[in-house]
Amino acid sequence: FYMEFYDWIAFIFSAMLCFIFVFTVVVRPINVDGDSMYPTLKHKDMLAVSDIGYEPQYEDIVVVYAPRLYNSITKTYGKAVVKRVIGLPGDTIRIDFGKGVVYRNGVALDEPYINTLTNVQENFPNNKEVKVPENRLFVLGDNRNISKDSRSYDIGMIDTRYVIGKTLFRVLPVTQFGPVR
């Protein structure tokens, strides 16, 4: 009896250690804060994020650290935010705010995932090409007219060192568990 009990305790302990290892080293749980990625993601969705072997690609949903963004919870600057990769180093980005269209390297983007057209300018120049510098990303939220993103001085173009990881899948709510596109 004691041997069987010991085996169960060892199994449960090993499973807990594996779970802790996976969710601290391999995959990080991140909560969505706000509606800037609506309709793709909603406030309080929980995501599984990883940076292992990650190289940013167009349209990836990433979690990035924005050091100039005010965090109302901690009352300090610096906050993790969820955004979509629109531009990679060397790309040129132009936004026609009158038409609400984003252009990458002179080509209008087909963006079926956005909630609204891109009509809010923030601090980004209207209809003027801006080049994405080396080691930077241009990111936008899917709910463009309420999103703080690369158009804003608060976030700007993200240093690639501040990429926390790519969203692998949604964990919560359980009814929407699965990959996020």
Side-chain angles (χ1 to χ4, degrees):
F1 170 77
Y2 291 113
M3 203 57 153
E4 189 175 312
F5 178 74
Y6 174 77
D7 286 345
W8 272 105
I9 296 297
F11 173 76
I12 291 170
F13 183 72
S14 298
M16 287 175 38
L17 282 178
C18 287
F19 181 83
I20 290 168
F21 176 78
V22 167
F23 279 95
T24 56
V25 176
V26 180
V27 176
R28 296 179 186 173
I30 301 278
N31 287 316
V32 176
D33 181 21
D35 292 316
S36 72
M37 285 299 292
Y38 181 83
T40 308
L41 298 169
K42 294 171 187 69
H43 180 60
K44 295 191 178 183
D45 282 359
M46 181 182 282
L47 309 173
V49 175
S50 180
D51 68 342
I52 294 177
Y54 176 63
E55 287 293 323
Q57 302 294 317
Y58 298 129
E59 298 184 7
D60 284 352
I61 297 173
V62 294
V63 177
V64 297
Y65 179 72
R68 294 185 309 249
L69 189 61
Y70 185 71
N71 187 333
S72 60
I73 295 169
T74 63
K75 308 287 189 233
T76 60
Y77 286 88
K79 184 176 181 180
V81 293
V82 182
K83 301 295 173 197
R84 189 177 296 270
V85 176
I86 300 299
L88 300 173
D91 286 338
T92 56
I93 303 296
R94 178 171 62 90
I95 303 175
D96 182 334
F97 293 100
K99 293 180 182 175
V101 178
V102 178
Y103 297 85
R104 179 177 53 233
N105 301 323
V107 178
L109 299 182
D110 177 26
E111 300 182 293
Y113 44 78
I114 64 173
N115 187 44
T116 56
L117 296 177
T118 311
N119 299 117
V120 174
Q121 190 171 350
E122 285 281 330
N123 310 109
F124 200 77
N126 185 30
N127 228 356
K128 179 183 173 199
E129 283 192 346
V130 174
K131 187 172 182 174
V132 180
E134 281 301 310
N135 301 313
R136 301 273 176 181
L137 299 176
F138 188 89
V139 297
L140 293 173
D142 289 356
N143 196 2
R144 299 284 166 81
N145 293 331
I146 68 160
S147 178
K148 286 281 187 193
D149 47 40
S150 288
R151 294 171 292 169
S152 168
Y153 290 138
D154 294 337
I155 294 183
M157 293 197 214
I158 298 293
D159 188 314
T160 53
R161 293 176 296 175
Y162 289 148
V163 175
I164 295 170
K166 176 185 177 186
T167 299
L168 302 176
F169 54 91
R170 182 183 353 239
V171 177
L172 295 174
V174 176
T175 57
Q176 295 183 323
F177 180 88
V180 180
R181 299 187 209 308

